[in-house]
Amino acid sequence: MEALARRLVPDDLWAVASTLVPEPRPRPQGGGRAAADARQVMVAVVYVVTSGCAWQHLPHSFGVTVPTAHHWFARWSRAELWRNLHEATASDPALAEWTRVIRDCAARRHYD
């Protein structure tokens, strides 16, 4: 799983993405579960959107629940993360190509 995760979200991509990922909103009631690991969620989301996998078929081995992955995907999509990520990686041809694929695949997914 680690090798797949590094191919889906390599370290140089995560270095850029981690600066663009919006912070989770504070929970008004406080408490609750700790926030999921953003990189782990990004790996799961990138897997779903680029593979064409249905959300409910996200493998458990990604360590992210389907509702969490979809919720974060929707929040990131509303924040235009995919477009911003593609623009931020434009100077690196390999990363720009991969983030273009992610952006285009994500645009085909419904997130509301």
Side-chain angles (χ1 to χ4, degrees):
M1 177 54 78
E2 184 68 25
L4 176 60
R6 295 290 178 205
R7 280 198 321 261
L8 292 170
V9 183
D11 291 339
D12 48 352
L13 177 57
W14 180 245
V16 176
S18 65
T19 67
L20 300 172
V21 169
E23 290 291 321
R25 292 183 310 232
R27 297 174 57 110
Q29 75 276 18
R33 295 181 184 191
D37 176 81
R39 185 172 186 169
Q40 195 172 9
V41 174
M42 180 164 279
V43 168
V45 167
V46 168
Y47 172 79
V48 169
V49 300
T50 61
S51 72
C53 167
W55 287 105
Q56 65 266 28
H57 295 145
L58 174 66
H60 296 286
S61 57
F62 281 92
V64 177
T65 66
V66 170
T68 297
H70 187 266
H71 173 78
W72 286 43
F73 166 73
R75 185 165 48 92
W76 289 346
S77 294
R78 284 189 296 272
E80 299 187 1
L81 172 65
W82 315 115
R83 180 184 58 81
N84 296 337
L85 185 57
H86 178 62
E87 290 174 1
T89 59
S91 64
D92 181 328
L95 281 182
E97 178 60 20
W98 182 229
T99 59
R100 183 195 58 77
V101 169
I102 295 168
R103 180 200 65 198
D104 292 352
C105 290
R108 293 184 184 100
R109 291 290 183 139
H110 182 66
Y111 59 86
D112 286 328

